[in-house]
Amino acid sequence: MALNKRPLRDVTQQDIDDYARDGAVCLRSVLDRDWIDLLEPIAREVIIDKKDVGLLPTIPGRYMARCIEEYRRFVFESPIAEVAGKVMQSKEIRFFFDEFFAKPPQSDAKTLWHCDRMGWPVKGNMVPSIWIPLTPIVKANCLEVLAGTQHDDVPYWLFSPNARKMIKPDDRVPHPEIESKRGDPNLRFLSWDMDPGDLLIVHPWVLHYSAGNPTDDWRVAISERVFGDDIRWAPRPDCVNLAGVSFDEMLEGEKPEGSHFPLLWSEDGRADSDAHFPQGFATRWPKQEMAGVNEYKAFKELKVKEDAGELSRKDKAPAN
């Protein structure tokens, strides 16, 4: 199989400029088709057939590289870290975690407008999502970006599992209502038709969204989260958890390093192997039915509560 380790096309200055201006860039034909042929059947087994491959039953959409050899190989051997580093102008790229995103055919499930910033236990800008479609993408089911919003320094309240157990702090603001602004000539909404082998690099502060899936096949994508040069630990109670790494180990101001955050690429050619990368999880659990990969319904319900002011009420907020 022609599993390319270097990008099939190099990052250009235009790519770098587009990312800096818009908060997202679409890179065409980065991956060989053989990578897609390796990963897509496994994704369909896990997402559609709910095959038990050892993923966490409560969050089966994450940590594929921990349990699936082909996805671990993709993290360590594909060119995704190199293109992310070059687009962001980072000298090094380390791994954070990976995640499935999927929508069934003829689905009206929407991903709410949001940014990822306050979900991550870090400070800095270089923690993008590398969004990689495993099936053909049309603009109607593509991830969509409101260009330039990564320049807004706003601590939006994100509905992470930890945040759902908390009263919303006063300094966290709701994500803005965007849909009614589509006709505004001063705003630029970006979406793409994409082929497998293309990918998006999405800034953690940029507002993004996804509508339903009007096609007759599943829309399947994976997101690889990585760390660049400016990232330092800054854990908060509302951040997402990371399996196997407690907040105790995320020392404020320190650079993420260690077995869970291997060096995937560097300008000077250094990279870690997967020899010390964790396989599986630190706990065991009785066999149980897997939850859904994505939580569209839960996020929609939480947005209704947020709009009603209930997430700031002591008598209601922790009940999610």
Side-chain angles (χ1 to χ4, degrees), residues 80-225:
I80 57 170
E82 178 180 345
V83 296
K86 289 181 175 179
V87 165
M88 294 190 298
Q89 301 288 273
S90 178
K91 296 182 186 304
E92 294 183 353
I93 293 294
R94 289 184 175 273
F95 186 56
F96 185 15
F97 73 96
D98 51 2
E99 187 167 13
F100 283 127
F101 288 104
K103 292 186 178 180
Q106 299 299 323
S107 170
D108 61 358
K110 295 178 174 60
T111 305
L112 300 177
W113 281 102
H114 70 286
C115 76
D116 298 331
R117 174 187 177 184
M118 301 309 290
W120 308 149
V122 299
K123 59 183 176 182
N125 290 277
M126 293 182 178
V127 53
S129 294
I130 310 171
W131 197 81
I132 304 157
L134 301 183
T135 55
I137 298 294
V138 296
K139 288 185 177 181
N141 66 13
C142 185
L143 184 149
E144 187 173 15
V145 166
L146 184 53
T149 49
Q150 79 278 10
H151 300 301
D152 300 332
D153 187 3
V154 182
Y156 295 115
W157 183 241
L158 192 67
F159 302 139
S160 70
N162 285 346
R164 297 176 210 181
K165 299 177 176 66
M166 296 172 56
I167 299 166
K168 186 172 72 173
D170 292 338
D171 65 344
R172 301 287 196 278
V173 299
H175 284 90
E177 197 287 308
I178 299 295
E179 285 301 292
S180 63
K181 301 178 181 179
R182 285 192 178 273
D184 188 332
N186 297 313
L187 299 180
R188 294 171 53 236
F189 292 82
L190 304 179
S191 60
W192 300 264
D193 295 316
M194 299 177 66
D195 295 320
D198 301 342
L199 57 83
L200 299 177
I201 299 183
V202 183
H203 194 286
W205 291 23
V206 80
L207 290 168
H208 54 282
Y209 160 89
S210 178
N213 174 24
T215 73
D216 292 328
D217 190 15
W218 279 77
R219 190 219 70 178
V220 180
I222 56 177
S223 186
E224 304 290 339
R225 295 337 186 336

